[in-house]
């Protein structure tokens, strides 16, 4: 593998795991249902508080990315 910037063949390749947090709420929620959550906070305070503190709200997504780094000039890119 050669560097696109300087043409050197001294390139180090490494893989990295990236963990992203995905929210379950989409644009439909924010456009149409935000007022429902406000009413739940007002009417059912203790139940909503328990759900907010102990409920599962996010999903973790792991993805593997491979990077290459030139040892001469420091240029890096994804492979």
């Amino acid at each position: 593998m050669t560097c696109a910037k300087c043409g050197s063949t001294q390139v180090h390749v490494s893989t990295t795991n990236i963990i992203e947090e995905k929210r379950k709420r989409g644009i439909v929620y924010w456009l149409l249902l935000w007022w429902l959550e406000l009413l739940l906070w007002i009417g059912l305070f203790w139940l909503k508080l328990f759900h907010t503190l102990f409920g599962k709200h996010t999903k973790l997504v792991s993805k593997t990315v491979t990077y290459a780094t030139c040892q001469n000039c420091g240029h890096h890119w994804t492979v």
Side-chain angles (χ1 to χ4, degrees), residues 10-61:
Q10 295 180 355
V11 177
H12 176 72
V13 178
S14 62
T15 57
T16 304
N17 285 331
I18 297 175
I19 298 175
E20 295 177 347
E21 197 172 296
K22 298 288 183 179
R23 303 271 334 202
K24 289 185 179 180
R25 297 181 179 138
I27 190 74
V28 173
Y29 171 82
W30 293 111
L31 291 176
L32 301 175
L33 298 175
W34 62 270
W35 56 271
L36 182 62
E37 186 166 345
L38 179 65
L39 290 176
L40 285 174
W41 270 111
I42 294 170
L44 303 170
F45 176 75
W46 294 109
L47 183 62
K48 183 66 178 161
L49 181 65
F50 181 79
H51 174 69
T52 301
L53 293 176
F54 300 109
K56 184 177 179 182
H57 299 287
T58 58
K59 180 171 79 171
L60 296 177
V61 177

